[in-house]
Amino acid sequence: MSITQDTLQKFIFDNAAVRGELIDISATWREVQARHDYPAAVKKVLGQMTAAAALLSANLKFNGSIIMQIHGDGPVRLLVVECDAELRLRATAKLNPDVTIADDSNLTALLNAHGKGRFIITLDPLEKVPGQQPYQGVVPLDGDDVATVIENYMLRSEQLDTKLWLAADDHVSRGLLLQKLPYHGGKAEATPLNQEEALETWNRAVILGSTLKEQELLETGIDVLIQRLFWEETIRVFDPLHPQFHCSCTREKVGNMLKMLGPEEVEGVIAERGTVAVNCDFCGQHYEYDKVDCAQLFASNAPVETLLPAGEAKH
Ligand SMILES: [Zn+2]
């Protein structure tokens, strides 16, 4: 097994007009796929979303998880990518049963066949004040690919000029993000000249980014790309960050989910099959609850986390 580490490289243009990020999240992306066999078109979109979630997460001044979802009305029902503050990610797709998906299906064909697809971004803070709800933005699927949908979202909801280039296949997921920094006069006083310079830098950065083709992004490491794209620019490069795959599922969380289903439904399954078996959608982890486990779930009003692990409780 080869040990590869994913890398997210932040950089900033010298006059602080534009910030950028390049990401190679291929190892994480292969972990996501390890327990699923998605059609090629789904891989492409979900792989791109995985890169985009990490790029946005690293870009936000926010301590918590970002959850990116696309609810579809076509052959794909749902795509989810979660990324926490430490850039640990998990992702999954839910497809309608018995659908055939052509390899060249784009985002619209997969998820917005009837114009009812929705793009949802949730920001879930790590430390919530009591009663605080996660922030959630819901917008129509405005664009035929992941990059366009996110660019439109960032412009309309966050008033931020953002450009994304994303590429993913079976093995690789990489991306580039450029963002025009809100103009606060830069280092010096706000003068029309500085503002003009800032806009020029942004325009130049976008032109350089636009030379990047999907195939080139799939084939080229990000250390080479940063040189190739921006060698004529003065940019400052930060210490690299390292995104990785991580699933946050636990026996306790799955137990809570069963609790929410209610005793009738759970006991019905026990009567029929002897145990309730649940596989995590993200990592495939198998959880099983027998009659005693389930009785214990519903007997207690205490939060499930405080219960003993089922194995010990039965002794
Ligand atoms: Zn899991």
Side-chain angles (χ1 to χ4, degrees):
M1 218 173 92
S2 65
I3 298 163
T4 45
Q5 195 176 31
D6 286 338
T7 303
L8 188 150
Q9 183 65 66
K10 288 191 192 192
F11 54 94
I12 192 160
F13 284 65
D14 198 39
N15 64 359
V18 178
R19 68 177 154 212
E21 294 174 296
L22 269 159
I23 191 170
D24 185 338
I25 197 160
S26 302
T28 300
W29 171 230
R30 288 192 295 267
E31 282 279 339
V32 167
Q33 296 174 83
R35 294 158 195 94
H36 299 281
D37 188 20
Y38 299 126
V42 175
K43 281 183 191 170
K44 184 170 162 175
V45 173
L46 189 63
Q48 292 185 0
M49 263 176 83
T50 304
L55 288 169
L56 289 194
S57 182
N59 202 15
L60 289 169
K61 287 192 171 52
F62 163 75
N63 186 20
S65 295
I66 175 167
I67 303 148
M68 201 182 267
Q69 295 175 61
I70 301 179
H71 286 259
D73 66 359
V76 180
R77 270 165 46 210
L78 179 68
L79 301 178
V80 188
V81 182
E82 294 182 16
C83 180
D84 71 14
E86 294 165 57
L87 295 181
R88 300 183 305 172
L89 293 101
R90 61 179 193 169
T92 191
K94 279 204 173 78
L95 277 60
N96 282 319
D98 308 321
V99 290
T100 11
I101 294 175
D103 285 356
D104 61 352
S105 301
N106 68 4
L107 184 78
T108 305
L110 293 176
L111 290 133
N112 203 25
H114 308 285
K116 293 203 164 61
R118 289 289 176 271
F119 176 63
I120 303 170
I121 283 194
T122 307
L123 300 180
D124 194 7
L126 196 63
E127 285 163 22
K128 292 190 200 59
V129 295
Q132 187 183 2
Q133 294 295 317
Y135 162 82
Q136 198 168 67
V138 184
V139 294
L141 265 189
D142 189 4
D144 284 333
D145 56 55
V146 176
T148 311
V149 168
I150 295 173
E151 287 167 6
N152 287 331
Y153 173 84
M154 293 302 281
L155 189 61
R156 287 192 192 150
S157 303
E158 312 292 327
Q159 281 80 49
L160 284 170
D161 275 304
T162 308
K163 285 282 169 194
L164 280 161
W165 292 267
L166 304 165
D169 62 15
D170 292 15
H171 304 287
V172 174
S173 172
R174 294 200 186 101
L176 165 67
L177 174 145
L178 293 174
Q179 197 162 65
K180 186 162 156 249
L181 284 167
Y183 187 71
H184 298 303
K187 288 170 274 184
E189 289 290 292
T191 67
L193 181 68
N194 283 345
Q195 194 158 11
E196 206 172 286
E197 272 177 19
L199 191 61
E200 266 175 31
T201 307
W202 168 246
N203 289 336
R204 215 168 52 240
V206 173
I207 289 169
L208 292 171
S210 301
T211 63
L212 183 58
K213 297 287 171 277
E214 196 174 334
Q215 198 57 33
E216 186 183 11
L217 193 49
L218 286 175
E219 288 168 359
T220 320
I222 59 171
D223 45 343
V224 174
L225 285 175
I226 199 166
Q227 295 294 333
R228 196 184 281 176
L229 290 169
F230 303 117
W231 65 277
E232 278 187 307
E233 301 292 326
T234 315
I235 58 172
R236 196 147 48 90
V237 174
F238 297 92
D239 286 339
L241 303 171
H242 299 292
Q244 53 180 299
F245 180 85
H246 170 74
C247 189
S248 53
C249 70
T250 61
R251 187 171 174 83
E252 287 70 29
K253 286 184 190 172
V254 176
N256 273 329
M257 200 187 71
L258 294 178
K259 243 179 131 167
M260 284 193 289
L261 285 177
E264 247 170 67
E265 184 154 353
V266 171
E267 279 156 19
V269 177
I270 295 274
E272 198 180 304
R273 297 182 202 157
T275 60
V276 181
V278 180
N279 289 334
C280 174
D281 285 338
F282 291 92
C283 71
Q285 176 70 45
H286 182 78
Y287 296 97
E288 243 180 75
Y289 299 79
D290 65 14
K291 203 175 171 182
V292 178
D293 300 331
C294 291
Q296 194 182 33
L297 279 180
F298 293 108
S300 169
N301 286 324
V304 179
E305 284 87 343
T306 65
L307 294 175
L308 288 170
E312 291 169 35
K314 275 181 281 183
H315 292 301

